[in-house]
Amino acid sequence: MQEERHLSRTPTPNGRPCRSPSGYVAGRVMPARPPPSPGVTSHSVQWSSSKAENQATFITRGNEQWRETEAARKRRRKVKNSLVCVSICLGLFFIVLAVVFGTNPGSERDENCPDHQLGFTNWDPGHNELKRVVIGKGDRFRLVSSATLHSIIIQQGGVLVFADSADGSKNISLKCSYILVRDGGELHIGAEKCRYKSRATITLRGRSNEGEWSPSFGRKFLGVDSGGTLELHGALKTSWTLLAKTLPPSGLEFGSYIERPVTRGLNVRVVDQDTGQVLLADRFDTHDFANESKRLQKLLQSQDVGRIIAIAVRDSAAKNLLQLTKDTIQELLGSGLVQDLSYRQAWALVGVIGAGNMSCDESVRDYENHDTGGKAKARKEFVTVDGVRFAVSASSQWKKGIPQAEFQVNVSEGFVLELLDEVQGWEMGDRLVVASTDYSMHQAEEFIVLRCPECTSRQIMVTGKAQFLHVGEIMDGIDMRAEVGMLTRNIVIEGEMEDSCYGDNWCQFFKHDTFGGHLKILKNFTSVHLSNVELVHMGQQVMGSYPVHFHLCGDVDKLGGYSSPTYVDSIAIHHCFSRCVTIHATNGLLVRDTVGYDTLGHCFFLEDGIEERNVLFHNLGLVTKPGTLLPTDRNDAMCSSILNNVYGNYIPVPATDCKAVSTFWVANPNNHLINNAAAGSQDTGIWYLFHKGPTGESHGLLIETKAELTPLGTFYNNRVHSNFKAGLFIDKGVKVSNASADDPREYLCLDNSARFRPHQDADPQKPRIAALIDRLIAFKNNDHGAWVRGGDIVFQNSGFSDNGIGLSFASDGSFPKDEGSSQVISESLFVGESGNYGSQGGQNKYWGVGGVEGKNRTLPRDKTFPIRGFQIYDGPIHVTKTTFQNYVATPVRFTSAIGFFLKNPWQLTPKNSFSLLKFDTKVALRVFFGKPGPWFEGYDFDGDKNEIFHDVDGSVTGYKDTYVSRMDNFLVQHPGCKNVTSWFGSVCSGKYAQVYIQTRRPQNLTMTIVRDEYPKYPMRLRGINQRADFQQYQPVVMLEKGYTIHWNGRAPEETFLYLINFNKGDWIRVGLCYPKGSDFQIMADIYQRQNSTAHSVEDFQKVASLEELQNKPGQRKYYFDNGAGLLFLMLQARHDREGHSYCSTQGCERVKVAAVMTTQGVSNCMPAAADPTYSVTPKATVAMPPPSSGKCEGCGASRLAFTSDPYQTYLRVQIQSLGKTGTQQGQETSFISVNGTRFSFGDKFYMVTVDACSGMVTQNVSFAKADAVMANYLENGISARSIVLLGSKDTIGGDVDAISKKTGPTGHCQTCTTS
């Protein structure tokens, strides 16, 4: 048996200082921000009131203001006359009346509670669906009972509060078509310092085709307009946490069991009492054969005491059931019925070996007229060693002449979930959801909380049984613990729904009604705070109608004049029909501890690209499904059939126009995502995209939006899993123009024009600011754990596991548009396939062999998809201090730690680099370049051919300062290179760069480039822009070598050659093929990309020989061999290059060749290039280094566990305890491993103790058997605050039970905290 655990040890201190204000220099990793504190400080918010005349003043009054307001109101009630005493008496009289009649009877007055305030009138409007209510000036109503109304408008200082009771029994339901709060009106249910205790439900009624329609709010809404106040504060509940222990399918480790045997006789099942696993299934035909009876007797006698036995008769079993066997059954299992078993009698028994008749449950049914008149049933409940209650049942019957038998092993009613955190307020009857931890989000499951007096504060009991595996562990170093979200709150806002879809509500896509209620807040509201509220059946497939919608509100924090910044806190939004929380042209909003589950369209939605400074803290989104509203919300069917807003006959392309629905949709990078979980979306978990300008209703509000250039806000400790497209996606934008003949696509469809290029102050002339992705956990995403385009971008402290592709970096763009940025990842972990095998079902499509152990498991794409850890697309990228593990191929699938983008037409740079990497022994392919076949197809795109990276320190190849390329790329090789055939790669020394070749007239030529030293091995490049008016090629070249270039048609009239990644003095010689008799005008200049200008223009002069040209490499000379048709140039860099820039500090050095040709023949000079005149013997310019020797010091990530609770440090513990079976299967050693340090042991007990605070191993001892010596050590030899790890090999001897008592409860580890 092998078990791996990650044990929580100690909190870690906060991190290092923030970034330097000096800006980011390309190639330098910016300092990491410190981790945010464990929680966001709660805003100080008191229940508030405001007068109509103050509606434009953004304040929230506290307790003192309340008392002042009340005093003012009392003073206004006094009669103004000269009889001062009478006035005082009347004032006192009215105050007494207010106290007597205006407070809740039976409760002690609390000034923090809105329903306890003076001056309110108890309100019981009754039930009248046609009654319209306006609560206006002077109206202060306390709703004391349920009501049904047409609508409520609260305005001009009117106030409505919901009555509460101390014992939480005053439950109130309010039904109406809409509620509008505006112009000084206020609606309160509870307050931050006086949580509502009872149950309050607001039900919004109406159909989409009936009733009033408001221009600002639509139908079926709770709306807050200018001057309105909405304060909703339910009872405190922990919003969500993580599982702390794996929940297996059915709740049992080995699953539930059900079988209906078809064989005659006594059918027997042997069940493990510790796990509920069925160990043996057998049948004994004791009707015909006495030997079968003897065999049964031997089986029962061989079982250990405590083993569970289930027996069921099918057909008949009595004829040859021997007396000795009956006696054995009676003696061992306590049966009282077996002695009298008769012909065709139905009998079922469940008992425990050696436990007597008190443990036995059995029954019989007599056979008569081919029937037994019902089942003989037996059922007993047991508890596993993990505390799971399960039932074993057996049944037997005859029914209409057919014998039947059945066995079941299932979790009993209710099972316990072990939780990471202590949960507050989770009560019997509450509904919760456990997230999927597999590739399909549809494996999320709902449960109902049961009463459980014996549960701790970190345990809850729930009904039903799990259908799927929900991981509750840190597996192979990656935190895969499932999120557990609480869906129930005692304040509920819900939409009243029809039984099915109707009218024009997109019923072709939805069978259910999608016209729910919605909550909308407009700008200039007075105060809005929502906490611990449940929203269900909210949202509409109508633009602007969402469960929670802040619409064009501007700044809603202190910058907007709100002394108590606006927040949405601990809201449960579930089974809703359009998004979760929409932040629309709104800045400074805090959304915290909010759960969004089973919703349509983008869930947490930042809409128009101008939203900034919003904080999304510790939110959970899961099961985010497609919707119809925006192209990016839609799936395939919706995308191709919703044609209202396209131009002409255009049919949208789902893969490029739509299919982007995301749990977190972030349209501006200057927002803060901290501690969030995106636990399942149809497409993407977190998507950062970049609007070219303000869109939607924000169009025109700002002159210019620079989302692409805006630095990233805080991204810290977020987790993404169970998403189909990607966990994290940073790329693309949306189309910001209406559909037209020039571009028929729909407005706001997905667009590929945006690139993330963060600069200080969003100014491209100022230093670049690296975007920091700190502590991302990405697992079980079908396609990508993360896809990131742009630069500069830095990942650190991140973990990737079980993704189709762990992480892909793509550059800002192709040269010459990209100014030369970089992406870096460090201190991270990539796991190919973990111990999370997954579960079939829940729309998981692929199941097959995989993983280290070669077992069946769920798969990300299909059985042949080439799994990769880190994928290179173009570059430059740098991967350092990173660990790779568990990348194992199968007979039908390549699997590699490092791979490349498939079918890649794009550029690659030799500046891609790796250093300080660690590969565990379970990585079969460190690198794989590809191979023609499935997924790779012809493997012949330009990018495919130029794949390359730099192994800086030899931690990949074993050869320091070498470059790794395709084995068939002879532009970059020399005779000393080392081929690695399994990688299809070659490891070479040398210096490398790129040449960017741009050609015009004609524009779609195929270019062939060949190195002088390898004329038989040319490289053919088709170019990148097949539809452009020019073509571009970007071969990687070895410096200080000669190359010739040829064409499949007449040579281009105009050719530019840019020196890419050339340092000062670097050179190559180039020969371009032209027709004989061609004339040339050749010039050099330095091109500035920022303003598309050139300077330092120089003309080339012709020389008479190649030798003369080569003797003057730094001069502007050319030589044309008219006989061979080859124009020779020396391309040498004159200026230094800085950082990751492609070009020099002065700009891009380039050469332009304009040719005048008199013939139209094909310009292919390959025969001449192969002539001895130009071909030379290959040799290395830089000698190959010797192989690295010794261990790679400092390689790999420093941490072994990557978790979502950064303030805990974990020990990685692995125990392998072998029995006879394991030894026979070839496993050799039993061991205990602590953070990678292995302690092996033989046929004995072995114990390792670890200090729970420091994580250091303190002792390791062995014992031959369980005896007094071992017992004494356990009792007296172990220091306090120790973690004890105990293993054994093969058969163990001695008094094991006595030793078990000394070890205490299993499954718990002592922890402590140090300062």
Side-chain angles (χ1 to χ4, degrees), residues 52 143 169 181 237 257 262 343 366 528 558 561 642 654 680 739 807 871 1029 1033 1158 1241 1314:
L143 183 63
S169 61
V181 188
K237 282 183 181 285
Y257 178 88
V262 296
Y343 174 70
D366 293 331
V528 173
K558 291 183 179 180
I642 298 177
L807 172 63
Q871 176 176 262
D1029 59 356
Y1033 317 85
T1158 58
F1241 58 91
T1314 57

PDB file of all heavy atoms in Angstrom, residues 52 143 169 181 237 257 262 343 366 528 558 561 642 654 680 739 807 871 1029 1033 1158 1241 1314:
ATOM      1  N   ALA A  52     -34.686  63.107   1.908  1.00  0.00           N
ATOM      2  CA  ALA A  52     -34.811  63.317   0.470  1.00  0.00           C
ATOM      3  C   ALA A  52     -33.930  64.453  -0.005  1.00  0.00           C
ATOM      4  O   ALA A  52     -33.357  64.405  -1.088  1.00  0.00           O
ATOM      5  CB  ALA A  52     -36.278  63.586   0.117  1.00  0.00           C
ATOM      6  N   LEU A 143     -42.647  46.007   8.048  1.00  0.00           N
ATOM      7  CA  LEU A 143     -43.447  44.902   7.529  1.00  0.00           C
ATOM      8  C   LEU A 143     -43.436  43.764   8.542  1.00  0.00           C
ATOM      9  O   LEU A 143     -42.377  43.220   8.856  1.00  0.00           O
ATOM     10  CB  LEU A 143     -42.883  44.429   6.185  1.00  0.00           C
ATOM     11  CG  LEU A 143     -43.656  43.316   5.468  1.00  0.00           C
ATOM     12  CD1 LEU A 143     -45.064  43.778   5.090  1.00  0.00           C
ATOM     13  CD2 LEU A 143     -42.902  42.868   4.214  1.00  0.00           C
ATOM     14  N   SER A 169     -38.064  33.516  14.412  1.00  0.00           N
ATOM     15  CA  SER A 169     -39.297  32.832  13.997  1.00  0.00           C
ATOM     16  C   SER A 169     -40.214  33.689  13.146  1.00  0.00           C
ATOM     17  O   SER A 169     -41.201  33.192  12.618  1.00  0.00           O
ATOM     18  CB  SER A 169     -40.059  32.371  15.244  1.00  0.00           C
ATOM     19  OG  SER A 169     -40.423  33.488  16.051  1.00  0.00           O
ATOM     20  N   VAL A 181     -36.584  51.528  -5.309  1.00  0.00           N
ATOM     21  CA  VAL A 181     -36.124  52.378  -4.211  1.00  0.00           C
ATOM     22  C   VAL A 181     -35.378  53.553  -4.826  1.00  0.00           C
ATOM     23  O   VAL A 181     -34.376  53.353  -5.521  1.00  0.00           O
ATOM     24  CB  VAL A 181     -35.203  51.594  -3.252  1.00  0.00           C
ATOM     25  CG1 VAL A 181     -34.892  52.432  -2.018  1.00  0.00           C
ATOM     26  CG2 VAL A 181     -35.825  50.268  -2.845  1.00  0.00           C
ATOM     27  N   LYS A 237     -23.034  33.323   7.634  1.00  0.00           N
ATOM     28  CA  LYS A 237     -22.736  31.948   7.236  1.00  0.00           C
ATOM     29  C   LYS A 237     -21.389  31.929   6.537  1.00  0.00           C
ATOM     30  O   LYS A 237     -21.082  32.828   5.751  1.00  0.00           O
ATOM     31  CB  LYS A 237     -23.804  31.398   6.280  1.00  0.00           C
ATOM     32  CG  LYS A 237     -25.100  30.947   6.914  1.00  0.00           C
ATOM     33  CD  LYS A 237     -26.026  30.361   5.863  1.00  0.00           C
ATOM     34  CE  LYS A 237     -27.356  29.926   6.459  1.00  0.00           C
ATOM     35  NZ  LYS A 237     -27.218  28.686   7.215  1.00  0.00           N
ATOM     36  N   TYR A 257     -21.941  -0.914  -4.191  1.00  0.00           N
ATOM     37  CA  TYR A 257     -21.975  -2.227  -4.848  1.00  0.00           C
ATOM     38  C   TYR A 257     -23.427  -2.664  -4.965  1.00  0.00           C
ATOM     39  O   TYR A 257     -24.200  -2.577  -4.009  1.00  0.00           O
ATOM     40  CB  TYR A 257     -21.196  -3.238  -3.998  1.00  0.00           C
ATOM     41  CG  TYR A 257     -21.176  -4.652  -4.533  1.00  0.00           C
ATOM     42  CD1 TYR A 257     -20.204  -5.059  -5.432  1.00  0.00           C
ATOM     43  CD2 TYR A 257     -22.128  -5.579  -4.120  1.00  0.00           C
ATOM     44  CE1 TYR A 257     -20.169  -6.363  -5.911  1.00  0.00           C
ATOM     45  CE2 TYR A 257     -22.111  -6.885  -4.595  1.00  0.00           C
ATOM     46  CZ  TYR A 257     -21.121  -7.278  -5.486  1.00  0.00           C
ATOM     47  OH  TYR A 257     -21.095  -8.577  -5.952  1.00  0.00           O
ATOM     48  N   VAL A 262     -27.229 -14.589 -10.878  1.00  0.00           N
ATOM     49  CA  VAL A 262     -28.138 -15.414 -11.697  1.00  0.00           C
ATOM     50  C   VAL A 262     -27.873 -16.908 -11.499  1.00  0.00           C
ATOM     51  O   VAL A 262     -28.358 -17.723 -12.277  1.00  0.00           O
ATOM     52  CB  VAL A 262     -27.987 -15.039 -13.188  1.00  0.00           C
ATOM     53  CG1 VAL A 262     -28.415 -13.613 -13.431  1.00  0.00           C
ATOM     54  CG2 VAL A 262     -26.539 -15.254 -13.666  1.00  0.00           C
ATOM     55  N   TYR A 343     -36.897 -26.350   0.825  1.00  0.00           N
ATOM     56  CA  TYR A 343     -36.852 -26.306  -0.644  1.00  0.00           C
ATOM     57  C   TYR A 343     -37.473 -25.006  -1.164  1.00  0.00           C
ATOM     58  O   TYR A 343     -38.588 -24.650  -0.802  1.00  0.00           O
ATOM     59  CB  TYR A 343     -37.599 -27.531  -1.197  1.00  0.00           C
ATOM     60  CG  TYR A 343     -37.750 -27.545  -2.705  1.00  0.00           C
ATOM     61  CD1 TYR A 343     -36.644 -27.739  -3.528  1.00  0.00           C
ATOM     62  CD2 TYR A 343     -39.006 -27.380  -3.305  1.00  0.00           C
ATOM     63  CE1 TYR A 343     -36.771 -27.771  -4.901  1.00  0.00           C
ATOM     64  CE2 TYR A 343     -39.147 -27.415  -4.681  1.00  0.00           C
ATOM     65  CZ  TYR A 343     -38.028 -27.612  -5.485  1.00  0.00           C
ATOM     66  OH  TYR A 343     -38.163 -27.649  -6.846  1.00  0.00           O
ATOM     67  N   ASP A 366     -41.601 -18.151   2.565  1.00  0.00           N
ATOM     68  CA  ASP A 366     -41.969 -19.475   2.082  1.00  0.00           C
ATOM     69  C   ASP A 366     -42.399 -19.424   0.628  1.00  0.00           C
ATOM     70  O   ASP A 366     -43.031 -18.472   0.172  1.00  0.00           O
ATOM     71  CB  ASP A 366     -43.088 -20.063   2.939  1.00  0.00           C
ATOM     72  CG  ASP A 366     -42.631 -20.361   4.351  1.00  0.00           C
ATOM     73  OD1 ASP A 366     -41.424 -20.641   4.517  1.00  0.00           O
ATOM     74  OD2 ASP A 366     -43.458 -20.286   5.276  1.00  0.00           O
ATOM     75  N   VAL A 528     -25.648  51.162  -0.765  1.00  0.00           N
ATOM     76  CA  VAL A 528     -25.997  49.786  -1.095  1.00  0.00           C
ATOM     77  C   VAL A 528     -24.972  48.864  -0.457  1.00  0.00           C
ATOM     78  O   VAL A 528     -23.771  48.986  -0.719  1.00  0.00           O
ATOM     79  CB  VAL A 528     -26.052  49.534  -2.613  1.00  0.00           C
ATOM     80  CG1 VAL A 528     -26.247  48.051  -2.903  1.00  0.00           C
ATOM     81  CG2 VAL A 528     -27.178  50.333  -3.261  1.00  0.00           C
ATOM     82  N   LYS A 558     -14.612  55.356  -1.631  1.00  0.00           N
ATOM     83  CA  LYS A 558     -14.373  56.686  -1.093  1.00  0.00           C
ATOM     84  C   LYS A 558     -14.077  57.707  -2.179  1.00  0.00           C
ATOM     85  O   LYS A 558     -14.354  58.904  -2.006  1.00  0.00           O
ATOM     86  CB  LYS A 558     -13.243  56.619  -0.070  1.00  0.00           C
ATOM     87  CG  LYS A 558     -13.638  55.874   1.195  1.00  0.00           C
ATOM     88  CD  LYS A 558     -12.529  55.874   2.239  1.00  0.00           C
ATOM     89  CE  LYS A 558     -12.997  55.129   3.489  1.00  0.00           C
ATOM     90  NZ  LYS A 558     -11.949  55.103   4.542  1.00  0.00           N
ATOM     91  N   GLY A 561     -17.152  59.397  -3.002  1.00  0.00           N
ATOM     92  CA  GLY A 561     -17.839  60.095  -1.930  1.00  0.00           C
ATOM     93  C   GLY A 561     -18.564  59.187  -0.967  1.00  0.00           C
ATOM     94  O   GLY A 561     -19.296  59.674  -0.094  1.00  0.00           O
ATOM     95  N   ILE A 642     -27.882  32.509 -34.042  1.00  0.00           N
ATOM     96  CA  ILE A 642     -28.325  33.857 -33.676  1.00  0.00           C
ATOM     97  C   ILE A 642     -27.663  34.837 -34.641  1.00  0.00           C
ATOM     98  O   ILE A 642     -26.471  35.132 -34.546  1.00  0.00           O
ATOM     99  CB  ILE A 642     -27.960  34.184 -32.214  1.00  0.00           C
ATOM    100  CG1 ILE A 642     -28.674  33.224 -31.259  1.00  0.00           C
ATOM    101  CG2 ILE A 642     -28.339  35.623 -31.883  1.00  0.00           C
ATOM    102  CD1 ILE A 642     -28.310  33.415 -29.794  1.00  0.00           C
ATOM    103  N   PRO A 654     -18.096  29.646 -34.578  1.00  0.00           N
ATOM    104  CA  PRO A 654     -18.085  29.503 -33.117  1.00  0.00           C
ATOM    105  C   PRO A 654     -16.698  29.569 -32.496  1.00  0.00           C
ATOM    106  O   PRO A 654     -16.508  30.211 -31.457  1.00  0.00           O
ATOM    107  CB  PRO A 654     -18.747  28.135 -32.894  1.00  0.00           C
ATOM    108  CG  PRO A 654     -19.645  27.957 -34.073  1.00  0.00           C
ATOM    109  CD  PRO A 654     -18.906  28.590 -35.216  1.00  0.00           C
ATOM    110  N   GLY A 680     -15.287  25.544 -12.742  1.00  0.00           N
ATOM    111  CA  GLY A 680     -16.027  24.852 -13.790  1.00  0.00           C
ATOM    112  C   GLY A 680     -16.819  25.778 -14.672  1.00  0.00           C
ATOM    113  O   GLY A 680     -17.826  26.355 -14.254  1.00  0.00           O
ATOM    114  N   ALA A 739     -21.404  45.597 -37.218  1.00  0.00           N
ATOM    115  CA  ALA A 739     -21.270  44.754 -38.408  1.00  0.00           C
ATOM    116  C   ALA A 739     -21.437  45.589 -39.668  1.00  0.00           C
ATOM    117  O   ALA A 739     -22.290  46.487 -39.736  1.00  0.00           O
ATOM    118  CB  ALA A 739     -22.310  43.638 -38.361  1.00  0.00           C
ATOM    119  N   LEU A 807       0.724  25.017 -19.323  1.00  0.00           N
ATOM    120  CA  LEU A 807       0.855  26.458 -19.518  1.00  0.00           C
ATOM    121  C   LEU A 807       1.443  26.730 -20.884  1.00  0.00           C
ATOM    122  O   LEU A 807       2.441  26.119 -21.269  1.00  0.00           O
ATOM    123  CB  LEU A 807       1.759  27.058 -18.431  1.00  0.00           C
ATOM    124  CG  LEU A 807       2.168  28.530 -18.584  1.00  0.00           C
ATOM    125  CD1 LEU A 807       0.966  29.449 -18.524  1.00  0.00           C
ATOM    126  CD2 LEU A 807       3.189  28.913 -17.508  1.00  0.00           C
ATOM    127  N   GLN A 871       4.275  24.547 -22.737  1.00  0.00           N
ATOM    128  CA  GLN A 871       4.257  24.583 -24.200  1.00  0.00           C
ATOM    129  C   GLN A 871       4.866  25.890 -24.698  1.00  0.00           C
ATOM    130  O   GLN A 871       4.476  26.971 -24.271  1.00  0.00           O
ATOM    131  CB  GLN A 871       2.824  24.460 -24.722  1.00  0.00           C
ATOM    132  CG  GLN A 871       2.729  24.594 -26.239  1.00  0.00           C
ATOM    133  CD  GLN A 871       1.331  24.367 -26.759  1.00  0.00           C
ATOM    134  OE1 GLN A 871       1.007  23.279 -27.212  1.00  0.00           O
ATOM    135  NE2 GLN A 871       0.488  25.373 -26.692  1.00  0.00           N
ATOM    136  N   ASP A1029      -0.652  41.225 -48.596  1.00  0.00           N
ATOM    137  CA  ASP A1029       0.003  41.693 -49.815  1.00  0.00           C
ATOM    138  C   ASP A1029       1.518  41.605 -49.707  1.00  0.00           C
ATOM    139  O   ASP A1029       2.242  42.062 -50.578  1.00  0.00           O
ATOM    140  CB  ASP A1029      -0.417  43.135 -50.138  1.00  0.00           C
ATOM    141  CG  ASP A1029      -0.064  44.108 -49.018  1.00  0.00           C
ATOM    142  OD1 ASP A1029       0.435  43.649 -47.974  1.00  0.00           O
ATOM    143  OD2 ASP A1029      -0.306  45.314 -49.190  1.00  0.00           O
ATOM    144  N   TYR A1033       8.948  35.511 -43.505  1.00  0.00           N
ATOM    145  CA  TYR A1033       9.583  34.258 -43.112  1.00  0.00           C
ATOM    146  C   TYR A1033      10.557  34.586 -41.978  1.00  0.00           C
ATOM    147  O   TYR A1033      11.192  35.638 -41.977  1.00  0.00           O
ATOM    148  CB  TYR A1033      10.347  33.633 -44.281  1.00  0.00           C
ATOM    149  CG  TYR A1033       9.622  33.676 -45.598  1.00  0.00           C
ATOM    150  CD1 TYR A1033       9.696  34.812 -46.418  1.00  0.00           C
ATOM    151  CD2 TYR A1033       8.871  32.597 -46.051  1.00  0.00           C
ATOM    152  CE1 TYR A1033       9.041  34.867 -47.643  1.00  0.00           C
ATOM    153  CE2 TYR A1033       8.201  32.644 -47.274  1.00  0.00           C
ATOM    154  CZ  TYR A1033       8.294  33.787 -48.062  1.00  0.00           C
ATOM    155  OH  TYR A1033       7.635  33.832 -49.265  1.00  0.00           O
ATOM    156  N   THR A1158      14.527  40.929 -65.652  1.00  0.00           N
ATOM    157  CA  THR A1158      14.051  40.940 -67.041  1.00  0.00           C
ATOM    158  C   THR A1158      13.408  39.626 -67.444  1.00  0.00           C
ATOM    159  O   THR A1158      12.816  39.530 -68.518  1.00  0.00           O
ATOM    160  CB  THR A1158      15.227  41.253 -67.985  1.00  0.00           C
ATOM    161  OG1 THR A1158      16.248  40.270 -67.789  1.00  0.00           O
ATOM    162  CG2 THR A1158      15.795  42.639 -67.714  1.00  0.00           C
ATOM    163  N   PHE A1241      12.820   0.649   5.119  1.00  0.00           N
ATOM    164  CA  PHE A1241      12.816  -0.293   6.234  1.00  0.00           C
ATOM    165  C   PHE A1241      12.445  -1.684   5.742  1.00  0.00           C
ATOM    166  O   PHE A1241      11.874  -1.858   4.660  1.00  0.00           O
ATOM    167  CB  PHE A1241      11.861   0.168   7.346  1.00  0.00           C
ATOM    168  CG  PHE A1241      10.423   0.359   6.922  1.00  0.00           C
ATOM    169  CD1 PHE A1241       9.501  -0.678   7.003  1.00  0.00           C
ATOM    170  CD2 PHE A1241       9.990   1.598   6.463  1.00  0.00           C
ATOM    171  CE1 PHE A1241       8.199  -0.483   6.633  1.00  0.00           C
ATOM    172  CE2 PHE A1241       8.673   1.790   6.081  1.00  0.00           C
ATOM    173  CZ  PHE A1241       7.771   0.740   6.171  1.00  0.00           C
ATOM    174  N   THR A1314       4.320  28.955  15.409  1.00  0.00           N
ATOM    175  CA  THR A1314       5.461  29.659  15.997  1.00  0.00           C
ATOM    176  C   THR A1314       5.459  31.091  15.504  1.00  0.00           C
ATOM    177  O   THR A1314       4.961  31.393  14.420  1.00  0.00           O
ATOM    178  CB  THR A1314       6.783  28.988  15.597  1.00  0.00           C
ATOM    179  OG1 THR A1314       6.866  28.949  14.174  1.00  0.00           O
ATOM    180  CG2 THR A1314       6.873  27.588  16.149  1.00  0.00           C
TER     181      THR A1314
END
